[in-house]
Amino acid sequence: MAAHMTVPTDAQLIKAQADLQRHSLTYLTSMALRCAIELGIPTAIHRLGGTASSPDLMAALSLPPPKEPFLGRVLRLLAKSDALACTDAGIYSLTPLSYILVDGVLIDGEARQIAFPLAVTSRSHMESGLGLADWFKNDRALPVPSPFEHVHAAAPFDESMTLLDHETDKLFYEALAAHDHMGIGTVVRECRGLFNGLESLTDCCGGDGTTARAIVKAFPHIKCNVLDLPQVIEKVPSDGVVNYVAGDLFHTVPPAQAVMLKD
Ligand SMILES: C[S@@+](CC[C@H](N)C(=O)[O-])C[C@H]1O[C@@H](n2cnc3c(N)ncnc32)[C@H](O)[C@@H]1O
């Protein structure tokens, strides 16, 4: 017997259709951000003195005039998602989000933040998302490959990725470094108490040691281990600042007073 289904009210159906469109088109927010980075919109606003209209940006970016209405739409979407601020008169300015996307802005002097949005909106990343249902249906023995591996027969941060697409592989590493660095400067400035009395620390899944090096820079007496998978650690030149350990956190974690898992 067919299961009973409650038919939504008219008001619920109208909302459901609006929600369906909203969910279906949400990816355009990421695409608009990628477009802004590729066109250099945050940098152009900065160079124009911190504020710019759509025509100002058309001229600064040398875009073909027929595209102006479309640039307006992208700018409005960016403003809606807090990537830009906008006055009622259509004058755009930077928000903290777009500030960190301006050319030459390095958070705490290190990471270029554009790498993260560019990596997660890259063709290979998007393709792995498009293959998700297919991945679920695919019956493979353990260890189950990630959706990315399923689609590309290569894994990020693995040699297979270098062979698949060298440029995207480089971008993924840059994104990882940006991700690793994100927030740690603020943590060591604003949460110094966390590190009181600490003599040793293991950063689990610490990547290339960016986070651990920032901690040692702020608290030079702390002995830091960085644990990550062998294929990651073998690419990191030893620096004498932190102790790099190749391994798997599910097997062994280098002993220390505290263990950090930051994601
Ligand atoms: C999101 S990234 C790095 C996160 C980083 N701690 C941060 O602060 O941004 C995750 C890291 O975990 C590492 N990883 C994944 N599985 C691991 C495992 N079983 N043992 C150790 N490291 C692992 C990856 O190689 C990668 O460098």
Side-chain angles (χ1 to χ4, degrees):
M1 198 171 70
H4 174 71
M5 270 181 35
T6 308
V7 179
T9 62
D10 280 347
Q12 286 172 326
L13 283 174
I14 287 176
K15 181 170 183 312
Q17 286 173 322
D19 285 346
L20 183 68
Q21 293 206 348
R22 185 167 52 84
H23 285 298
S24 305
L25 296 170
T26 296
Y27 75 98
L28 286 177
T29 307
S30 315
M31 291 299 127
L33 187 64
R34 182 181 176 93
C35 171
I37 293 168
E38 290 182 331
L39 291 178
I41 290 174
T43 305
I45 294 177
H46 169 64
R47 291 193 182 141
L48 287 166
T51 56
S53 63
S54 180
D56 294 337
L57 287 167
M58 287 295 296
L61 302 171
S62 308
L63 299 178
K67 297 289 167 55
E68 188 179 342
F70 304 100
L71 182 69
R73 288 179 199 173
V74 169
L75 291 172
R76 285 195 294 280
L77 184 52
L78 291 167
K80 184 92 186 65
S81 52
D82 289 333
L84 292 177
C86 180
T87 65
D88 290 344
I91 301 299
Y92 292 91
S93 56
L94 298 177
T95 60
L97 193 166
S98 40
Y99 162 81
I100 63 177
L101 302 175
V102 171
D103 265 5
V105 168
L106 301 175
I107 304 299
D108 289 319
E110 296 213 25
R112 211 171 66 109
Q113 293 299 325
I114 63 167
F116 184 80
L118 291 181
V120 297
T121 57
S122 65
R123 190 174 299 276
S124 48
H125 220 278
M126 302 299 289
E127 281 169 354
S128 65
L130 290 171
L132 204 51
D134 190 41
W135 173 81
F136 268 103
K137 287 187 260 175
N138 188 268
D139 191 7
R140 283 269 300 265
L142 291 170
V144 175
S146 68
F148 190 100
E149 287 170 278
H150 174 66
V151 170
H152 298 293
F157 313 116
D158 185 69
E159 208 175 338
S160 52
M161 187 65 208
T162 322
L163 299 174
L164 177 77
D165 178 350
H166 180 59
E167 281 308 307
T168 308
D169 178 58
K170 257 175 50 189
L171 185 63
F172 282 179
Y173 274 102
E174 213 185 324
L176 182 61
H179 181 275
D180 284 359
H181 203 268
M182 194 43 130
I184 193 61
T186 313
V187 169
V188 296
R189 280 192 297 274
E190 302 290 324
C191 314
R192 296 187 72 85
L194 270 182
F195 300 90
N196 274 351
L198 201 60
E199 303 287 333
S200 63
L201 174 76
T202 292
D203 184 5
C204 246
C205 306
D208 71 351
T210 306
T211 304
R213 284 196 305 276
I215 291 172
V216 172
K217 193 170 166 197
F219 307 98
H221 66 280
I222 298 181
K223 302 253 168 301
C224 255
N225 300 310
V226 171
L227 172 74
D228 210 294
L229 297 171
Q231 62 265 32
V232 174
I233 295 298
E234 74 191 16
K235 288 193 181 151
V236 184
S238 104
D239 53 24
V241 178
V242 297
N243 176 35
Y244 294 94
V245 182
D248 181 337
L249 84 117
F250 295 111
H251 292 141
T252 177
V253 172
Q257 266 182 318
V259 170
M260 182 168 77
L261 254 180
K262 171 180 164 292
D263 202 356

